[in-house]
Amino acid sequence: MAAVRAARRQRLRGFAFVLPALLWTAAFFLLPFAFMVAMSLWRRVGGRILESWTLENYADFFGRPHFLEGLANSLEITLTVTVISVLFAYPLAWIIAEKVPERWQRAALMLAVLPFWTSYVVRSYAWLLVLAHDGVVNRALLAVGLVEAPLVLASTRTATVIGFVHFFVMLLTLTIYANLRQLSPNYARAAADLGAGPVRIFLHVILPLTLPGVMVGAFLTFVLAIGDYVTPQILGGNNELVLPQIIMLQIGRRADLPSASAMAIVLMAVVTLVYFACARWLRLERA
Amino acid sequence: MTADVEVLGVSHRFGEVAALRDVTLSIGAGRFAVLLGPSGCGKTTLLSVIGGFLFPSAGRVRIAGRDVTGLPAARRPTTTVFQDYALFPHMRLGANVAFGLRMRRVPRAEREARAEAMLRLVGLEGMAAKMPHELSGGQRQRVALARALAVEPEVLLLDEPLGALDLKLRRQMQDELKAIQRRVGTTFVHVTHDQEEAMAIADEIVVMNAGRVMDQGPPERVYLRPRSRFSAAFMGEANFVPVRLRREGDGIAILGPFGTHPLPAERLADPAATGGRAELAFRPEHVNLGDAPPGTLDLGEGTVRDIAFSGSHRRARIALDALDGGEIVAYLPQAMEVSATARLRLHLDPARAILLPAEDGESRCGG
Amino acid sequence: MRRLADGLALGYVVAVYAFIYLPVAVLVLFSFQESRLPIPPFDGPSLRWYAAVFADRRLTDALANSLLVALLSSALAALLGFLAAYGLARYRLPASGLQRALLTAPLSVSYLIIGLGLLIMFSRLGVPRSLLTVGIGHTVINLPLCFAITYSQMGAHQENVERAARDLGAREWQVMLLVTAPMLLPAILAGFLLSVTFSWDEFIIAFLLSRFDVTLPVEIWSLLRSGLNPRNNAVGSVVFLFSFALVLVMELLLFRRGRRR
């Protein structure tokens, strides 16, 4: 049939457009992943990589408190950061969407997220300046007499959390604002019309309707924070290592790629588990 | 440039859904044809098949006698005005209108002159340098028309082109569309679900429902002598009363709630069906008041149930005694003030009656 | 009551903005410090650290490297992303859901893991680490972005516009070149510019995949080992200024235009 042949020719032509991107992704995303999986099943013994299959890297990871602590630190910090960021960002997004006059909203939003675009290495360094022993925060606290001696802020978990929260408040403000703006104002009007006050409108109408969007933003925060090396390395220092720091140590100091690969895969597995755990709130795929 | 269009036995399926079922129709060269029907009736699918955007599962399409069934849109002598206008958002109006000529390698100076002429035709003279987003909906619609006409197609296809405009602008654009069609002489095939629009512009109306052609003919014929219950009901309001038919000499007689009454045979939509069940249909504006003079069809007495002022007339729902309280709709004169419980006597000019073949399923009155 | 609520809202906004801008302000302010420590008290303004930055060949080289990698990898990502979006939006392809999932998958994997995978593969295959490998890595992370942005803009209306072009006699390549690409230019450009900012900022992949020639974030990283230093502030401020300019261009060029429509 001519029609069938024409349809196949059409398909081939369409496929030709997609093929370069598919090949690229296969060659530089899927294939490296396969290499990494294979590597995680090998061993580094005496400065050489032994290419025989074993699960020992995984056994090592779950067998050593040091590594498990890293995972626990990662999870604790990430969850703290996610919760605090949402709690800070939601009111800001809401105020911008509801209280700021329409014509200034875009500018207000731009202003709120501008530092988002600075290099994250630079951003972490800037926080180090702020939180340093003689930095502006300590100077200010001493000046008003809130503390007697400078606080130790740098190289702590608190510093890591502050650095992360700074970044993700901006990200979440963007996503939550977009969500709030998508809501038709008629929902709130209908609720008010039926006798709900501002608090109940928010609790029963606005919040439930924006919750899916908030969840997507929170998940994004989780994924980005748990995989980040720079912020904890610069701000947290070497005290309570998180998983990415431990992975980088394996790559750098110990040149142990098999063990680093195994940990990277564990990290991915954790993210995937979290994804499936909250998949019912995350409507990432549109029907 | 103009040509006739023939659609022969075309069927098309989208997966399980039959969008077109064995559609056959022909549209004469230079005619303004309107495909009319409710949404989902297949009219836009049929337009896509004629335009070469869809290849039908079965059947042929001929334009100017040439079989174009397998040809893509670009190689057909047709162009389309899309419902959302589909103007090129990044091109000025001049470039939009001249695009087809550019594809045909018409030299720049010539195509610019031609684009300007087309813009003048649609009333947008001197606006060639504007961008589409600077225009109102009605103006965009005109640009889409100019762009499609610039390549001098033999057949112009219009997919609900007035659908996005407000009512007043729509009525105004109808008149302009018709004037432009007269001027260029191209065959127009226009899709709409608005029967008033169809009657205002069409030389020829094709009524469609559920993928089938229910009726085709000039507006007057389709309105006054519809060939199916569907087209009678879709083209304005109509009352339906089930009757039986009997052959009587040269004519026929109807037997039903209004007694036995002779009618000329040409009132039958389907001349073959002279026996058995049928439906008597009549328009609300054809219902007359008062005692039935000889030769008219006496509808008997009825009680007004509800009456509403509609500008040019008063629309009344009347429960007829002969139908055991079944209601019909009648348009009463504007000047006549009737209370909601008044008793009226009604009759009908048999020349206005329509006899339709009975359809299966319940036969209802009114509507 | 209402005034109180508005006052609270205003106070909250000011507090959060202060939090957001605190590090940036401190960074920029102490880049003009005269003495050797970027901590209070401020004793500037002085441009000596900026002079030091622009006199540092390694930094200016790194800056040039970063620009090169960002522009080329983003251009490639934008091109591949546009082609893939066109193919998937305009043709009915088998397993198109799977193809879309594959193309966007790198978005949900952390950069560290993508970088580590590439590092392992390149070292096993004997490919030396260089700006090229960094660029490959950046294209991997930016391709999904460019694809998703362009794909989301290819709606039914755009498809109708392409049909109109075909109807008027345009061939496939003409439709793509004269209609689809210019019509989607805002989306393609948005993807490209966003990719440039991401690549410009990206550290971990560049760190893992580069060797002798490095990009700016990697160079800054090694400078940070020297601890707090006004010169680092100056570099950071320059980087911030560049990102800021890029975002401003994006805003003015794309979103303003988008709003006018």
Side-chain angles (χ1 to χ4, degrees), chain A residues 90-169:
Chain A
Y90 200 109
L92 183 63
W94 187 82
I95 291 169
I96 294 177
E98 296 290 324
K99 297 274 175 194
V100 175
E102 185 78 33
R103 51 192 300 233
W104 295 111
Q105 285 197 5
R106 215 184 151 79
L109 193 71
M110 274 284 288
L111 196 65
V113 302
L114 197 55
F116 179 80
W117 301 102
T118 50
S119 152
Y120 69 150
V121 175
V122 171
R123 207 164 37 230
S124 299
Y125 169 77
W127 271 110
L128 201 60
L129 286 175
V130 173
L131 300 174
H133 185 266
D134 298 315
V136 285
V137 168
N138 271 325
R139 288 292 167 104
L141 290 177
L142 286 169
V144 289
L146 271 175
V147 294
E148 312 240 311
L151 298 176
V152 177
L153 293 169
S155 296
T156 62
R157 180 183 285 206
T158 312
T160 305
V161 170
I162 291 175
F164 270 140
V165 166
H166 180 241
F167 180 70
F168 290 113
V169 162

Side-chain angles (χ1 to χ4, degrees), chain B residues 54-280:
Chain B
L54 272 182
F55 300 105
S57 321
R60 320 296 309 168
V61 177
R62 277 197 218 132
I63 295 172
R66 194 161 65 102
D67 191 325
V68 296
T69 315
L71 287 185
R75 300 196 11 230
R76 294 190 188 199
T78 60
T79 51
T80 300
V81 175
F82 292 88
Q83 187 172 9
D84 57 4
Y85 317 139
L87 299 182
F88 305 125
H90 55 289
M91 292 183 198
R92 300 186 182 284
L93 301 197
N96 257 288
V97 175
F99 186 85
L101 300 169
R102 187 175 162 199
M103 294 301 107
R104 286 160 177 72
R105 297 171 193 281
V106 174
R108 176 182 291 268
E110 190 183 333
R111 64 180 195 244
E112 276 172 5
R114 182 113 187 89
E116 189 53 49
M118 292 316 297
L119 284 171
R120 199 177 320 125
L121 176 72
V122 298
L124 294 176
E125 199 167 358
M127 290 175 71
K130 287 222 188 285
M131 295 296 282
H133 65 79
E134 299 174 75
L135 304 187
S136 69
Q139 289 173 320
R140 285 179 208 197
Q141 209 279 321
R142 288 161 200 257
V143 178
L145 186 65
R147 184 178 68 180
L149 283 173
V151 296
E152 302 187 333
E154 291 172 14
V155 179
L156 184 76
L157 308 173
L158 304 104
D159 184 6
E160 303 213 19
L162 309 180
L165 306 180
D166 61 47
L167 192 62
K168 196 167 170 184
L169 192 54
R170 195 147 97 204
R171 299 291 175 242
Q172 183 195 334
M173 281 305 296
Q174 286 168 10
D175 296 342
E176 285 190 38
L177 260 186
K178 186 154 184 165
I180 288 169
Q181 195 266 343
R182 292 281 175 271
R183 190 110 61 89
V184 297
T186 303
T187 311
F188 276 32
V189 183
H190 175 120
V191 159
T192 184
H193 57 258
D194 176 350
Q195 50 102 5
E196 274 188 55
E197 180 178 314
M199 283 198 276
I201 55 178
D203 297 323
E204 189 111 352
I205 292 181
V206 179
V207 182
M208 293 185 68
N209 186 40
R212 288 201 174 86
V213 173
M214 308 306 287
D215 206 345
Q216 182 189 359
E220 196 175 324
R221 209 282 290 140
V222 173
Y223 184 79
L224 294 175
R225 309 274 324 267
R227 295 218 168 111
S228 70
R229 182 184 168 130
F230 179 85
S231 71
F234 196 77
M235 296 282 289
E237 271 191 298
N239 297 294
F240 299 96
V241 178
V243 292
R244 298 191 77 79
L245 295 184
R246 194 173 64 202
R247 181 168 275 286
E248 212 164 69
D250 280 347
I252 42 171
I254 59 167
L255 296 71
F258 308 121
T260 304
H261 201 282
L263 279 180
E266 80 253 16
R267 298 312 306 169
L268 262 180
D270 178 3
T274 51
R277 295 190 304 128
E279 271 192 296
L280 169 69

Side-chain angles (χ1 to χ4, degrees), chain A residues 68-92:
Chain A
L68 284 179
E69 264 169 42
L71 180 59
N73 287 339
S74 278
L75 285 172
E76 282 167 29
I77 290 177
T78 306
L79 284 176
T80 315
V81 164
T82 306
V83 171
I84 295 179
S85 303
V86 170
L87 291 182
F88 274 145
Y90 200 109
L92 183 63

Side-chain angles (χ1 to χ4, degrees), chain C:
Chain C
M1 193 54 206
R2 195 188 168 85
R3 187 165 297 172
L4 178 72
D6 284 352
L8 277 177
L10 185 68
Y12 184 80
V13 171
V14 169
V16 177
Y17 275 60
F19 172 67
I20 287 173
Y21 277 92
L22 178 63
V24 178
V26 172
L27 176 82
V28 175
L29 177 68
F30 288 102
S31 69
F32 297 109
Q33 183 83 325
E34 172 66 35
S35 57
R36 299 192 146 270
L37 273 180
I39 50 171
F42 178 65
D43 57 9
S46 150
L47 287 174
R48 61 182 283 214
W49 302 108
Y50 284 92
V53 166
F54 287 107
D56 185 339
R57 268 301 293 275
R58 297 221 339 234
L59 270 174
T60 49
D61 282 355
L63 193 133
N65 290 343
S66 265
L67 274 178
L68 183 75
V69 169
L71 290 176
L72 291 183
S73 74
S74 301
L76 183 59
L79 177 67
L80 293 179
F82 167 69
L83 290 175
Y86 185 79
L88 280 168
R90 292 293 176 260
Y91 295 87
R92 297 179 68 172
L93 302 178
S96 62
L98 190 71
Q99 296 185 38
R100 282 202 305 273
L102 176 64
L103 288 177
T104 48
L107 277 181
S108 56
V109 178
S110 95
Y111 289 0
L112 172 60
I113 295 171
I114 291 175
L116 177 58
L118 283 168
L119 172 70
I120 292 170
M121 181 174 86
F122 286 140
S123 71
R124 297 299 291 183
L125 298 179
V127 179
R129 286 174 290 157
S130 67
L131 288 181
L132 178 67
T133 51
V134 175
I136 287 173
H138 284 182
T139 309
V140 170
I141 59 172
N142 285 329
L143 172 56
L145 207 72
C146 292
F147 166 72
I149 291 175
T150 327
Y151 185 76
S152 72
Q153 291 302 308
M154 290 192 174
H157 175 71
Q158 278 74 10
E159 186 163 8
N160 256 353
V161 175
E162 288 161 17
R163 289 170 98 189
R166 248 169 244 135
D167 188 38
L168 293 169
R171 294 162 176 282
E172 281 310 307
W173 65 267
Q174 286 173 314
V175 172
M176 191 157 174
L177 214 67
L178 299 176
V179 177
T180 312
M183 181 169 55
L184 292 171
L185 198 62
I188 298 170
L189 262 181
F192 172 75
L193 289 176
L194 214 55
S195 297
V196 170
T197 61
F198 281 11
S199 170
W200 169 255
D201 271 3
E202 204 287 325
F203 167 72
I204 194 81
I205 292 176
F207 182 68
L208 290 173
L209 297 181
S210 61
R211 193 152 187 202
F212 302 115
D213 294 318
V214 297
T215 60
L216 196 57
V218 179
E219 184 60 35
I220 295 175
W221 178 264
S222 55
L223 287 178
L224 290 191
R225 291 204 186 138
S226 63
L228 302 185
N229 184 329
R231 196 170 67 139
N232 293 349
N233 288 43
V235 180
S237 302
V238 170
V239 173
F240 176 60
L241 193 71
F242 179 82
S243 306
F244 175 75
L246 214 58
V247 175
L248 213 64
V249 166
M250 233 167 13
E251 168 75 14
L252 293 179
L253 212 73
L254 301 173
F255 299 121
R256 280 284 146 81
R257 240 180 93 187
R259 201 158 17 150
R260 237 185 5 197
R261 286 228 175 112

